Amino acid sequence: MTTYAIGPHREGIVPAIWRPFFEASGVPAAVRDGETLHVTGHTGEDEDLRFSPDPAHQIRRTFLNVDATLREAGFGWADVVELRSFHVGLRDQADALLAIAADFLPRPFPAWTAVGVAELWDEGSVIEVACTAVRTAQR
């Protein structure tokens, strides 16, 4: 993982798998601001950077990719207070989405906004998830 200073109190988080996208776009995987982590939208590509045609597989991979960024930044799913997800085919994904999310997120789930969209940045991607995580002293 590499970090980049973004002003006096913020740093960009760039895990190794995110480096090609960061170098092309300048967008880090996350920005840590004190005890708050703002995670950029992650998609469900596999390690070979390809997208499975199976939406459930992409959903699981998306949560795994977000998980990797959270962990590299020193956060976990219990720290997530807000999720934003974007879906090509939201209604068709709903059951798989909630079932797979339950494998990662403690209940009750964090505040969550899910939005159906026509397309995402990467061709072949059907889901993108961004989140905000906050560490508290009680951890």
Side-chain angles (χ1 to χ4, degrees), residues 38-128:
H38 302 275
V39 178
T40 299
H42 284 50
T43 53
E45 67 272 14
D46 289 316
E47 290 87 2
D48 63 4
L49 303 180
R50 294 183 186 183
F51 292 95
S52 167
D54 176 20
H57 181 84
Q58 279 196 43
I59 292 166
R60 183 165 302 283
R61 285 298 315 165
T62 300
F63 275 88
L64 288 167
N65 293 339
V66 171
D67 184 70
T69 294
L70 287 168
R71 289 179 186 274
E72 289 218 22
F75 288 75
W77 287 104
D79 298 315
V80 173
V81 296
E82 180 184 20
L83 265 165
R84 294 162 309 283
S85 60
F86 306 90
H87 309 263
V88 177
L90 172 60
R91 289 189 185 106
D92 292 337
Q93 296 174 20
D95 291 340
L97 177 65
L98 292 174
I100 292 167
D103 292 341
F104 294 87
L105 295 165
R107 286 196 179 251
F109 289 163
W112 189 347
T113 300
V115 179
V117 298
E119 63 185 5
L120 294 168
W121 185 276
D122 291 309
E123 187 175 342
S125 178
V126 298
I127 180 173
E128 184 169 324

Side-chain angles (χ1 to χ4, degrees), residues 8-58:
H9 304 289
R10 294 186 187 112
E11 63 183 354
I13 308 296
V14 182
I17 194 165
W18 194 272
R19 180 164 306 290
F21 182 75
F22 177 74
E23 289 173 357
S25 68
V27 177
V31 172
R32 184 175 21 228
D33 183 0
E35 296 301 310
T36 302
L37 186 71
H38 302 275
V39 178
T40 299
H42 284 50
T43 53
E45 67 272 14
D46 289 316
E47 290 87 2
D48 63 4
L49 303 180
R50 294 183 186 183
F51 292 95
S52 167
D54 176 20
H57 181 84
Q58 279 196 43

